[in-house]
Amino acid sequence: MALPTKKASFFPFLLLLLLVTISIILVTPSNSATDTFVFGGCSQLKFISGSPYEYNVNSILTSLVNSAMFTSYNNFTISASQDTVYGLFQCRGDLENGDCGRCVAKAVSQLGTLCLDSTGGGLQLEGCFVKYDNATFLGVEDKSVVVKRCGPLISTDSDALARRDTVLDFLGASDGTYKPFRVAESGDLRGVAQCVGDLSPTECQDCLSEAIGRLKTDCGASKWGDMYLAKCYARYSQGGDHSHGGDDTDNDDDEIAKTLAILIGLIAGIALIIVFVSALSKACEKDSKGG
Ligand SMILES: *[C@@H]1O[C@H](CO)[C@@H](O)[C@H](O)[C@H]1NC(C)=O
Ligand SMILES: *[C@@H]1O[C@H](CO)[C@@H](O)[C@H](O)[C@H]1NC(C)=O
């Protein structure tokens, strides 16, 4: 008689374990604000699969992911006679460590698919930037334009344009202190700027001045603009409008995932209660038998 009751309480426990696991998997990766893809690129050169270089690339990428749980910028070098690899990551300055870690993990996994067997690669998500290569790029300022995006024109309202310029000027202003992450706001207008942490304070300032100057000239009177240079970026947007190039479906997916996760969490909660009650009744049974 003891056997069937044992089976019956074991099954919901397994189910619960499965459901909790699924809901954790579903909830964790859905952060559209930081995970949105901005750009990615790979070097043409390929390494030989199974080579020491591949091992070093994997080590670097693993180090980046681990480090991003604790800090918003770090660089790594794995030195070997011919197989040296350099790598770095930079999270947006307002991310919590956990979000930074998740963003870098996502970027590294995308980089693995995008730049399969490439000797170098770089990837920018909204929340973080990751790069590795066998040529030194650490500490080298690079102001080449990687991504330029401009929104539709602001209404012919010259006030709006003046306000935009004020925000950008504030973003680019230097008080002599090192500010790799900057935010400037005026009304519904918001500007954000970020340097990669390997730049010196003066290089960072120089890079941001370039990005901001280009935003003004290249995006003219656009409602929003993104200027990503190789080692820094500046962006602005009005009224939350943004350049979410075709990620609407991502958001829908996120919504579905969230709803599913809540549903599964609910089922898991009910399963938990069932397990608890059945364990309780079993304990009561034993108690009454013992007494
Ligand atoms: C990087 O790796 C490629 C392919 O192995 C090689 O041809 C190139 O010379 C390397 N560059 C440096 C700077 O080591
Ligand atoms: C790279 O990291 C080392 C140790 O963490 C640090 O001392 C060095 O300044 C960093 N280099 C750059 C270019 O950021």
Side-chain angles (χ1 to χ4, degrees), residues 73-75 139 198:
Y73 162 78
N74 210 349
N75 74 79
D198 63 332

Side-chain angles (χ1 to χ4, degrees), residues 6 10-11 17 25 55 68 78 117 120 143 192 228 276 287:
K6 228 180 201 170
F10 190 56
F11 176 69
L17 210 69
I25 290 169
Y55 179 82
I78 293 185
D117 294 349
K143 295 188 280 185
V192 177
Y228 285 88
F276 182 69
D287 267 6

